Amino acid sequence: MSELLVHNPYDGTLVARLAADDAASVAARAAAARAAQPAWAARPMAERLAAIGRFRAAVVAQLEALAATLTSEVGKPIAQSRNELNGLLPRLDFFLEQGEGAVRAERVFDDGAMREEIGHVPLGVVANISAWNYPWFVGCNVLVPALLTGNAVLYKPSEHAALTGQAITRLLHEAGVPAEVLHCLVGAGAVGQALLAQPIDGLFFTGSHATGQRIAQALAGRFVKLQLELGGKDPTYVRADADPAAAAESLADGAMYNTGQSCCSVERIYVHEAVHDVFVDRFLATVAGFRAGPPTDEGTYIGAITRAPQLDVLEAQVADAVAKGATLHCGGRRGPGPGNHFPPTVLTGVDHSMELMREESFGPVIGIQKVSGDEEAVALMNDTRYGLTAGVYTRDEAAARALLARVNAGTVYWNCCDRVSPRLPWSGVGDSGVGLTLSVEGIRTFTRPKAWHLRSPR
Ligand code: NDP
């Protein structure tokens, strides 16, 4: 059996050796899930809700150890690992509160003789291939509602978050989800490919646009429900009437939190010329206060770049921008190894001829562009193939609403950024993906509607 080696991205040390799946074990797991799913779906919803409730309690009880595991394999600062786990709890509460109602059968017609009802039945066996950057969030956004609604799940966490993927699976098993109903597949992209060859009823993917495209191509011609939650190039516009200092502090955090490795990290900033210089000064001062260091240290804010190849992407974006006339204020080059390090990097004088303003950076790198007003800002915000989130900072709510209504994005923010709510749908426009998670719709998405026509006997 092959092995998956887990390395600490901060210092390069070996964290764990895991027995990896192969094509044969993936096929065996898929068959076991298929056989087990009907009995799981037939259990009362209350039993499945109780299992998720026990899972929640276990996360709370083991939070410190789970945070340490996450930090060791992803390089996320320990305080931010705790934040992710604590942030998971309201999501679980939402699923626990809404799970039953979301899939309750609805009677939509009744004239005494004829009744019409809509039922919501599980898809069957679904696959979840997910990213490493927030493995608890992106894993549970799929696993929990999929299981609650009666599906079996083949879960392939990222190779860079395999220990966390195993921990999530173990806690769900201990909470009462049968081992045959939920499988954790260990391995890299090849295991994901083997999974795609199985007879699955739904594929729920979180990751990069390039991999999402490969997955869509691998499933072409098969009628498998496909959801893709992909990357973005999320813009924010700071209007002339905004408080530039408050906006700068908020956006510096939005750009650099999780070492810039969030799908909804702020990736482009447009600032009105009237407040540009004050904004940039405060932004640079805020970033200068972000402490880089060992992710295990309590005070660390900038941790490791999880995937080494991303260092090349970041350096290339900075070099391209500088060659085309941008001003580099700080950072710009990888730090010394072992491990993957990149300091907070801020560029001004940028424009859309630069890769930095077009393609996802996925690191602590940000470009700030001066604009003359609302029309230019909206045009630039929409000049992208992505559409995950977008924001506006202004004192004027009506202006913010009018601007954000014109921006092509699944999520829009007024005076905030880098925020996800379990009550709201999480979805992308264009190359940021198809489908959604979270909200009541993000529970129903693991079911298909079944139409019932019921005529009473005469
Ligand atoms: P990747 O696309 O590299 O990987 C995602 C998953 O796909 C991993 O589990 C990976 O396995 C697997 N995979 C890789 N190749 C294949 C293949 N050929 N067939 C099947 N599976 C495969 O993304 P990252 O994990 O690096 O995540 C970062 C990206 O995710 C960013 O673009 C980010 O914006 C996006 N993202 C989007 C979110 C959203 O909600 N829209 C949320 C979080 C992240 P392995 O890692 O083992 O190779």
Side-chain angles (χ1 to χ4, degrees):
M1 183 172 257
S2 61
E3 277 187 323
L4 179 73
L5 303 184
V6 179
H7 288 98
N8 182 322
Y10 181 75
D11 58 17
T13 54
L14 183 66
V15 176
R17 290 173 181 274
L18 303 178
D21 276 279
D22 56 22
S25 69
V26 171
R29 288 177 183 280
R34 177 66 64 192
Q37 187 267 330
W40 175 244
R43 290 202 195 178
M45 172 61 100
E47 282 187 26
R48 297 196 296 271
L49 286 167
I52 299 304
R54 289 189 292 270
F55 170 68
R56 185 196 190 284
V59 170
V60 171
Q62 299 178 37
L63 198 136
E64 272 309 310
L66 298 170
T69 298
L70 178 55
T71 288
S72 73
E73 63 180 339
V74 171
K76 193 188 290 263
I78 187 69
Q80 297 176 17
S81 290
R82 283 192 205 106
N83 288 349
E84 182 174 347
L85 284 152
N86 282 315
L88 177 72
L89 304 179
R91 292 189 190 209
L92 297 179
D93 291 339
F94 175 81
F95 292 134
L96 288 167
E97 284 157 17
Q98 300 293 328
E100 188 150 28
V103 294
R104 192 176 291 132
E106 305 154 68
R107 179 160 306 169
V108 293
F109 180 77
D110 185 351
D111 69 359
M114 189 77 197
R115 279 166 291 143
E116 296 173 359
E117 292 175 6
I118 303 172
H120 300 282
V121 297
L123 294 173
V125 177
V126 301
N128 177 19
I129 300 180
S130 74
W132 47 263
N133 61 332
Y134 281 97
W136 283 92
F137 285 165
V138 295
C140 291
N141 285 356
V142 171
L143 298 178
V144 171
L147 290 167
L148 273 182
T149 51
N151 296 279
V153 187
L154 301 165
Y155 168 41
K156 210 309 255 154
S158 166
E159 64 182 296
H160 303 288
L163 292 172
T164 294
Q166 287 190 323
I168 295 171
T169 308
R170 174 178 59 79
L171 294 184
L172 282 164
H173 288 162
E174 289 171 5
V177 176
E180 301 75 28
V181 167
L182 169 63
H183 299 258
C184 180
L185 279 52
V186 173
V191 172
Q193 280 174 330
L195 176 53
L196 297 177
Q198 304 308 313
I200 49 175
D201 304 304
L203 187 286
F204 297 81
F205 172 78
T206 310
S208 64
H209 174 264
T211 309
Q213 213 168 30
R214 276 199 291 277
I215 284 175
Q217 279 159 2
L219 292 179
R222 288 167 61 190
F223 303 130
V224 173
K225 177 166 182 170
L226 178 63
Q227 278 201 186
L228 303 170
E229 300 207 341
L230 309 176
K233 191 69 196 168
D234 299 5
T236 300
Y237 168 40
V238 181
R239 281 183 101 221
D241 70 343
D243 174 345
E249 287 172 15
S250 168
L251 288 169
D253 185 47
M256 305 286 171
Y257 188 82
N258 208 36
T259 315
Q261 301 170 111
S262 306
C263 54
C264 51
S265 286
V266 176
E267 289 252 343
R268 300 179 276 154
I269 302 177
Y270 304 100
V271 185
H272 193 279
E273 56 198 9
V275 290
H276 176 270
D277 293 353
V278 181
F279 176 90
V280 170
D281 284 349
R282 182 60 77 101
F283 194 94
L284 291 171
T286 306
V287 165
F290 290 157
R291 207 166 105 196
T296 46
D297 280 6
E298 292 295 335
T300 292
Y301 180 88
I302 297 289
I305 297 296
T306 307
R307 289 176 61 256
Q310 201 63 22
L311 297 169
D312 295 335
V313 173
L314 298 175
E315 282 188 343
Q317 285 192 348
V318 173
D320 171 67
V322 170
K324 289 172 178 162
T327 303
L328 175 65
H329 293 271
C330 54
R333 302 183 71 152
R334 75 188 73 195
N340 314 324
H341 309 286
F342 208 92
T345 297
V346 182
L347 296 108
T348 57
V350 296
D351 63 42
H352 279 213
S353 71
M354 303 168 185
E355 280 290 293
L356 171 71
M357 298 301 274
R358 305 202 71 85
E359 286 306 322
E360 192 176 45
S361 303
F362 221 57
V365 175
I366 187 78
I368 302 173
Q369 182 168 351
K370 193 186 285 186
V371 294
S372 58
D374 293 356
E375 289 310 309
E376 186 185 7
V378 171
L380 288 169
M381 288 166 95
N382 281 334
D383 179 26
T384 177
R385 63 193 180 105
Y386 297 106
L388 194 57
T389 82
V392 172
Y393 283 68
T394 170
R395 289 192 164 85
D396 183 342
E397 179 173 357
R401 284 181 176 271
L403 278 165
L404 292 171
R406 295 168 62 198
V407 175
N408 302 321
T411 291
V412 292
Y413 301 118
W414 175 41
N415 292 337
C416 58
C417 59
D418 193 21
R419 180 178 192 277
V420 180
S421 162
R423 295 169 292 277
L424 296 174
W426 188 251
S427 67
V429 172
D431 281 354
S432 288
V434 288
L436 81 164
T437 51
L438 301 176
S439 76
V440 169
E441 287 305 315
I443 301 173
R444 282 207 187 115
T445 196
F446 298 97
T447 64
R448 58 187 171 77
K450 187 164 181 171
W452 295 75
H453 302 245
L454 305 166
R455 187 187 294 282
S456 303
R458 296 195 178 160

